[in-house]
Amino acid sequence: MPSIKVAILGFGTVGEGVYRILQEKREEIKKSTGFTVDVVSILVKDKAKERIPIRGAQITDNIHEILSNPEIDVVFEAIVGEEPAYTYLSDAIEKGCHIITANKKMFAKHGPALLKHAEFRNVQVGFEATTAGGIPIIRTVANLLAGDRVKRIQGILNGTSNFILTKMRDEGSSFEQALIDAQQNGYAEADPTDDVSGADAFRKLMILSSLSFGQQPDWEDVPVVGIDHLEPVDLKEAVKDNLRYRHVADIWKDERGKLQATVGPVLIGANHPLFSIDGVDNAVIVETEYLGPLTLVGPGAGMYPTGSAMITDLLHVIRQHEAVMVPN
């Protein structure tokens, strides 16, 4: 049975999720693709840290031990921040590895460069997990672009903010208390700044912009507003008028063909597709020239939704390149 050797860079929530799914779904992947997938290396910051039992993989804190291994076919990247993730993935592409990332902060800025580099080296880049968690928005838009044209994308792209707004509306919680609840439930980081300020949703919107329109607007021109200024009374007043606050990322082309984008709280009515999206769910509305509006809804984050999106990318890589995948 041909074997595909993979490395995982980063072993936090997402990296562990990738590993767990690959172990749990090993037989199903083998049956559907004809390949076994073996995790041979895992990059961590602290080798001494206690973690789940790992079978058959080298645990290392040295990226060169991974990049110097000629057997590795695919590199999963689940590191936080732009660097060293961008450098590691650039080096992996240069060595002929396919790459799959969940790093939206890095990919919003460096995605176009990685895609060009990968095209030159004839390898694949999977980035489904960078945007909207378990919703297959990247593959959906890519498929739509084959015979249609995207006119607008609008969505709830951050589950933490959506959870907080839901708690404030339904329970009358203050922003601060709803944020604590989000952290206690594992929906928000210890430092939730990127989530509540709108920065996270903005980066995801820029990734979708590159994919859908082939470009991004000037980042400085996009107004980005968070949810931390909203009070429970604001949400109560909205409910009286049968309206709800949603934190919405929106991008479209104006009548002159210029990209316009906004990120921030928006009041929406009951007839809007985003009205009923509560809790940590994400939702994306893709409006195209021929199909019209298409709405996708699903879990926005977490070990398994994000890990599943990365495994879907792996399966796509295998099917695209199975003719050249050679048993090691």
Side-chain angles (χ1 to χ4, degrees), residues 216-229:
Q216 297 179 2
D218 291 336
W219 286 21
E220 296 78 12
D221 294 340
V222 180
V224 179
V225 181
I227 62 167
D228 47 353
H229 66 285

Side-chain angles (χ1 to χ4, degrees), residues 75-304:
V75 172
F76 288 94
E77 183 266 316
I79 301 172
V80 177
E82 291 181 33
E83 290 291 356
Y86 175 56
T87 298
Y88 290 172
L89 292 183
S90 295
D91 291 345
I93 290 172
E94 190 63 23
K95 292 181 177 296
C97 296
H98 305 287
I99 64 169
I100 297 170
T101 180
N103 191 331
K104 61 237 177 198
K105 187 172 186 179
M106 178 278 300
F107 204 79
K109 184 174 181 180
H110 300 293
L114 288 174
L115 289 166
K116 285 184 180 178
H117 190 182
E119 183 179 9
F120 178 72
R121 288 297 178 189
N122 195 32
V123 297
Q124 293 285 306
V125 178
F127 57 102
E128 185 70 72
T130 61
T131 307
I135 300 175
I137 186 61
I138 301 300
R139 191 80 58 222
T140 299
V141 171
N143 289 337
L144 287 172
L145 289 171
D148 207 336
R149 182 174 65 89
V150 173
K151 297 170 63 179
R152 183 178 186 178
I153 291 182
Q154 188 180 40
I156 297 170
L157 299 181
N158 184 270
T160 302
S161 289
N162 203 46
F163 176 86
I164 290 171
L165 290 177
T166 301
K167 293 282 285 188
M168 291 175 68
R169 186 193 74 232
D170 288 352
E171 301 178 16
S173 302
S174 66
F175 168 80
E176 291 77 13
Q177 183 56 56
L179 174 56
I180 291 171
D181 289 345
Q183 290 171 322
Q184 290 176 341
N185 281 279
Y187 301 143
E189 301 291 342
D191 180 1
T193 304
D194 280 0
D195 292 322
V196 301
S197 70
D200 177 75
F202 167 76
R203 295 186 189 109
K204 293 171 180 175
L205 188 66
M206 293 303 99
I207 292 170
L208 290 172
S209 178
S210 292
L211 176 64
S212 304
F213 302 106
Q215 60 180 306
Q216 297 179 2
D218 291 336
W219 286 21
E220 296 78 12
D221 294 340
V222 180
V224 179
V225 181
I227 62 167
D228 47 353
H229 66 285
L230 291 173
E231 301 287 344
V233 64
D234 299 321
L235 281 78
K236 280 186 179 179
E237 289 299 317
V239 169
K240 290 179 182 178
D241 295 325
N242 200 25
L243 300 172
R244 290 180 180 177
Y245 274 102
R246 296 298 185 200
H247 192 258
V248 177
D250 197 356
I251 189 163
W252 68 97
K253 278 192 175 181
D254 65 19
E255 63 277 0
R256 297 169 298 166
K258 183 179 180 181
L259 275 178
Q260 303 286 348
T262 62
V263 177
V266 176
L267 277 171
I268 60 174
N271 60 342
H272 195 285
L274 301 181
F275 183 82
S276 61
I277 310 302
D278 279 337
V280 293
D281 276 353
N282 281 193
V284 186
I285 306 167
V286 183
E287 184 179 343
T288 72
E289 185 173 7
Y290 300 122
L291 184 63
L294 172 69
T295 303
L296 292 86
V297 180
M303 175 183 289
Y304 285 110

